[in-house]
Amino acid sequence: MIGLNAVYPFAGLIFLAFAASALRDRSNPKRLGNAGFYALIALSLIAGDRLGDLGNGVLVLGLVSLAGLGLMGRGASASTSPEQRSEEAGRRRNRLFVPALIIPVTALAGTLAFKQLPTAVDPKQATLVALSLGVILALGTALLWFRPRPMTAFDEGRRLMDGVGWAAVLPQMLASLGTVFALAGVGEVVGGLIGAMIPQGSLIGAVLAYTLGMALFTIVMGNAFAAFPVMAAAVGIPLLIRGAGGDPAIVAAIGMLAGFCGTLMTPMAANFNLVPAALLDLKDRNAVIRAQIPTALPLLAVNIALLYWLAFR
C-alpha cells in the first residue's frame, strides 16, 4: 500500500538534491551550512524511523545549531539571467503556469480517485500521495517542455529554499512543541488557571477563553497547530465539549481558525510573515503583519460569534 512510506523518501530525495545543489553554488560563502541543513532534513525524511528518538533528537539539534550559529545564507547564482527569463516569459506567456497548475489539479483528482482504491493507496494519506504524484508529473512536464539542464529545477528550488532559510522547518518544529506541551500537561495547568477566571457555567466566557486563547497562544508560538493541543486540553474538551455539549467538529475547526487569526499577527510565524517581507525586499520587515491585522481582528470576532452560535445548538 502506498502511503507515507513512499512520500517521505520522495521528499527526502528532493532535499538531498538541494544539498548537492548547495554544495555546487560557489557564489554562496555559506554553502556548506546550507548543504548540511538540507542533508539533515533529507536524512530525517529518508531514515528518521530508523534513527530512533535519540538519533532524531541529535538531528534536530544539528539543524538548530546550523541555523542558530548563522551558518546559512543566500548565494547570488541563478540558472538564467533576468533578460533570459523576461524573453522566455514574453514568448510563452500564461502557458508558463501549466506545470504549476498540474500539481493542485493532480492533488484534487488523485485524492478523489485514490479513495476508491483503498488496497493500493492508504486512504488516510491519499492527498499527500496525490500531491507527490502531481509534483512528479509537473517536473516531468517542465523538463520535456523547457529542456533545461537536469539539475536546473533543483537549483531553482534550492534558491527558493535559501531565501526561506531555516524558517522552512519552523511549522514542524512548533507543531512538535505543541505535542510536547500537551504531553507535559501544560494544557491542564492552563485549564486550571482559566477555569478559576471564568464564572461558573458561563458559556460565553468559555468561548472567549478558548478562541482568544488560541489566537494569543498562536501569536506567542507562531503556529496554531502548536497552540491547539494546549487550548483543547485546557478549555475546548473539558468546558466546551464535555461541559457545554458542544459539537467536537465545530469546536475544533473554529478553534483552529481562531488560531490562524493569530498567525496573521505575529512575527513568530516567520515563514508566513517575515520571509515574504525579505523576499520582496520590503523596508519594514513587519509590513506584512501590519497589512494583515485589519483582516485578522474582524475574522477573529466572526469566529467567536460562529462558535457561540453553531457549536451549541
Side-chain angles (χ1 to χ4, degrees):
M1 182 179 291
I2 302 173
L4 292 182
N5 58 326
V7 173
Y8 280 1
F10 170 67
L13 290 175
I14 291 178
F15 274 98
L16 200 59
F18 288 167
S21 174
L23 279 176
R24 294 168 48 247
D25 184 7
R26 299 286 180 179
S27 70
N28 188 355
K30 297 183 177 181
R31 61 192 180 93
L32 294 179
N34 286 20
F37 191 83
Y38 302 143
L40 286 176
I41 296 178
L43 178 61
S44 71
L45 290 167
I46 294 173
D49 56 344
R50 299 184 182 90
L51 295 178
D53 294 339
L54 178 60
N56 281 295
V58 172
L59 187 149
V60 169
L61 290 176
L63 291 172
V64 172
S65 298
L66 288 171
L69 295 175
L71 299 179
M72 299 178 64
R74 298 176 64 177
S77 66
S79 58
T80 56
S81 66
E83 293 76 16
Q84 289 174 314
R85 291 195 292 274
S86 179
E87 188 275 333
E88 191 82 2
R91 185 160 56 90
R92 300 188 187 273
R93 296 184 178 276
N94 288 336
R95 289 174 295 167
L96 282 171
F97 291 102
V98 170
L101 292 174
I102 287 175
I103 298 176
V105 170
T106 305
L108 176 60
T111 299
L112 298 175
F114 290 158
K115 288 185 178 181
Q116 309 304 317
L117 303 170
T119 59
V121 177
D122 184 351
K124 295 180 180 179
Q125 308 302 335
T127 300
L128 286 177
V129 173
L131 180 65
S132 301
L133 178 60
V135 171
I136 295 172
L137 292 176
L139 178 60
T141 299
L143 290 174
L144 291 174
W145 186 16
F146 301 123
R147 302 298 177 102
R149 293 181 300 106
M151 280 297 291
T152 295
F154 300 105
D155 288 341
E156 290 299 314
R158 186 265 310 163
R159 281 207 310 129
L160 178 61
M161 285 296 301
D162 285 353
V164 175
W166 57 266
V169 297
L170 193 59
Q172 295 92 321
M173 293 283 192
L174 292 174
S176 300
L177 182 62
T179 302
V180 171
F181 279 4
L183 292 175
V186 175
E188 286 77 5
V189 174
V190 174
L193 295 173
I194 293 177
M197 299 169 58
I198 300 174
Q200 185 70 27
S202 174
L203 178 58
I204 186 61
V207 168
L208 287 172
Y210 177 61
T211 50
L212 294 177
M214 275 296 301
L216 291 173
F217 262 83
T218 301
I219 288 172
V220 172
M221 303 173 74
N223 191 306
F225 292 99
F228 183 75
V230 175
M231 292 310 301
V235 182
I237 295 174
L239 299 184
L240 296 181
I241 296 176
R242 292 177 182 164
D247 186 314
I250 295 175
V251 170
I254 297 182
M256 286 298 295
L257 290 174
F260 294 152
C261 292
T263 302
L264 297 174
M265 298 186 286
T266 175
M268 286 298 293
N271 58 331
F272 291 111
N273 298 334
L274 298 187
V275 169
L279 293 177
L280 294 171
D281 293 324
L282 301 180
K283 293 181 179 179
D284 181 3
R285 67 181 232 158
N286 293 316
V288 174
I289 297 173
R290 296 182 196 280
Q292 292 174 163
I293 288 177
T295 300
L297 292 176
L299 279 177
L300 180 57
V302 169
N303 284 318
I304 293 172
L306 284 175
L307 181 59
Y308 185 75
W309 289 330
L310 296 179
F312 307 99
R313 286 186 171 183

